[in-house]
Amino acid sequence: MLGIRNWFVQLAMHTVVAIAGFALLAPLARAQVNTNTIRVAVPQAKDAATERYIEAFRKQVGQADFKIEEVPVGAGTSYAQILASLKEGGSSIDLALVPAAVIPDVQSNPAFTYTSLISQPGLIDNASQNFAVQNSVVGELVATELSDFGLTLVGFWNRPPQALFMKTPLTGAYDLKGVKVRITDDTSGAVLTSLGASAQRLPFAEVTMALVAGSVDAIEASSQGLSNVSDIYRAIPNGRVLNNYSQNQGFLLANSTKWVGYSQRLRSAVQAAAGEGSKASQTLIIDQESTLPKMAAEFGVSYVSVNSEAWRPISKTASEAWLQNISEGGRSDAYQQLLRVKQEIDTRRDRRGSLDQKIRPTVLFATNRNDESSGDLATRFGVLKDATNQLSCGEIEFDTGPQREFGQVFGGRLGLKGSTIWHRATGCADMLAASGTNTGLVVYFHGYANTFADAARRAIGFSQDFGLSQPVLVWSWPSAGSFGMYIFDLNSVQFSEEYIRQMVDAMERKGQLSNITIVAHSMGSRMAGIFLKQVRARNRDVKNLILIAADYPPSIFGQLIASEGSVAALKTLYANENDSALIISRKMNGENPVGLGGKYLKLVQGIETVDVSDVAGQGWVNHAHGFEVKPVADDISDLLKRRVGADIRQLPTASVNGTKYWTIRGSPH
């Protein structure tokens, strides 16, 4: 892997004039950046989808009382110049729209395994599939790779896919032999050359004349939004357009250090704006893609998409050309992961059921995030970590609406009941006493890449879905709330240990440790482990421990259960072979986490393991199966209410090497 220093040296030397810019690497200070203007590097020449993206982005940030200032990249300002300025720390650019193709070494450095994979021609069949891949674990792995270079992937930037416009109606990929093709980047050139074509560079302004003159036989260009698209079609009468040749990947990026230094209010506004921008651009791309066959027919040009059988050799050639210097095992794992996600997209089924919206649970919060004193509870707590952080607690006020399906997170307004925040552990214990937790308390530890609002919305949702009568306390630890910041989040778990110690101390003094259930999801299982240690140190116990998709290496988890497991009278782990999100944990930790089931199943003595792989395999990620897949959620609800073991809950059994475990089987509907 190239070091960050060498990568930026090459970046500064890169001479491509393109769309881009990265937010600068700066030390993280306690003082937050609270500017109302967000400076975004954008292309000077924009396609229609990018125009739509920026328009929606601007509107959304405007609703949050921010504004954006565009920094055009193109004539007069090169990609290399902007990046060199950022490298020196002299730029005030906050965000940048960056095409994958302009990142140095993206197609040769194994550090960009997934980033380069999704940028290969022919490996993604169409725009709709591309958007779904971005929302899957593959997109999260891309974010992880970019984070290794100090960059936060705020969102994907979608532009129309690249197409091949050909003067003659070639019947398939192997007919490209000897064809002179104008290319847009070296990756495309390598694939076409492998198929026997002659790849050529040519300024876009000259492509139409070159087609007419016969100096090129085909060109690679965007299939939508071109100002001279009609001229291109006229230049290839009786020809063919091959759409979805390449998905034209791009990113909205921020510098990771600078990103976490922003206020939560600003980060939330930017993330919401990126989401709106994506929806707007994707809708336009899908709409325009549906009209392309008709448009081609109007000019007498035949239309075909890259997923046609005759053009499949492009994907085979692209996969063979991809990252030759990576290990065979690494190539196989990544490629199979992409194929698996594509298959899941094609076979995805509805897994939800009906929901009674009348349940109004009591949802409390405790957080060791820094308090930014925002008037909006959803954006009040940030991600900074130092000695001034203190525990803050309160009760969340919310309406039972809006309507949602079973398993969906709550989407309504989050408010602070009574406008009261209790501070420090003693204040939090007082809040619990005032909230009537004598009937028991469910403590929920959220997972990786969650904001305070993400955790609260999930807790409200499952409290309603499970029909809980006891209050739920959401412990929101300072996760960065962004994919690609796994190590930041892992360090935040360790940072939170002292605050859990303080909280358990205060709860013990108030007699509040007598009836506790823990529900932990993903990386939150490590928070649960810290809580168990603190409870055991005080010779107390936990009635019920429920771990969903636990992000715990088996070696460390086994130690935890052996040393602290006796603290919990009932212990249950839900594991799923199809949990693609835990692949990130495997990459970072070098072990298959205990939350993976099926062929990865690792049984640990002292805890009841329930393998849900049979019913939790129809999603794109399958990481939130304990909340979203009805048969799994029903069992967890039963476990929360009755507090009985898997045998009494009549789950089917199986064994590995004589060690018993349980399963949930049948249709996920």
Side-chain angles (χ1 to χ4, degrees), residues 241-321:
V241 57
L242 173 68
N243 196 31
N244 290 306
Y245 169 67
S246 177
Q247 288 302 316
N248 218 4
Q249 301 292 350
F251 316 114
L252 177 64
L253 297 174
N255 172 266
S256 296
T257 306
K258 194 172 181 180
W259 177 252
V260 297
Y262 293 143
S263 68
Q264 184 59 45
R265 179 171 170 267
L266 189 151
R267 278 197 312 275
S268 295
V270 169
Q271 288 173 323
E276 289 301 311
S278 292
K279 284 193 289 187
S281 61
Q282 290 177 12
T283 298
L284 180 63
I285 290 169
I286 293 297
D287 288 346
Q288 290 185 339
E289 187 172 88
S290 66
T291 67
L292 287 178
K294 180 179 179 181
M295 183 177 185
E298 289 175 355
F299 288 94
V301 174
S302 61
Y303 172 92
V304 68
S305 187
V306 75
N307 59 0
S308 170
E309 189 63 33
W311 295 95
R312 281 295 185 188
I314 288 178
S315 63
K316 181 177 185 296
T317 303
S319 64
E320 292 172 348

Side-chain angles (χ1 to χ4, degrees), residues 47 68 95 101 279 375 417:
D47 58 70
I68 67 169
L95 301 164
K279 284 193 289 187
K417 187 171 183 178

Side-chain angles (χ1 to χ4, degrees), residues 520 522 525-526 528-529 532-533 545-565 571-574 591-595 602-609:
S522 189
S525 60
R526 300 185 188 230
L532 288 180
K533 290 179 182 179
L545 172 66
I546 301 172
L547 303 179
I548 302 166
D551 181 8
Y552 236 126
S555 55
I556 302 175
F557 186 71
Q559 291 178 337
L560 172 75
I561 296 301
S563 61
E564 322 296 344
K571 299 176 288 295
T572 310
L573 167 69
Y574 290 87
E591 295 181 62
N592 289 322
V594 293
K602 181 71 173 181
L603 299 178
V604 174
Q605 293 289 345
I607 187 168
E608 293 189 347
T609 297

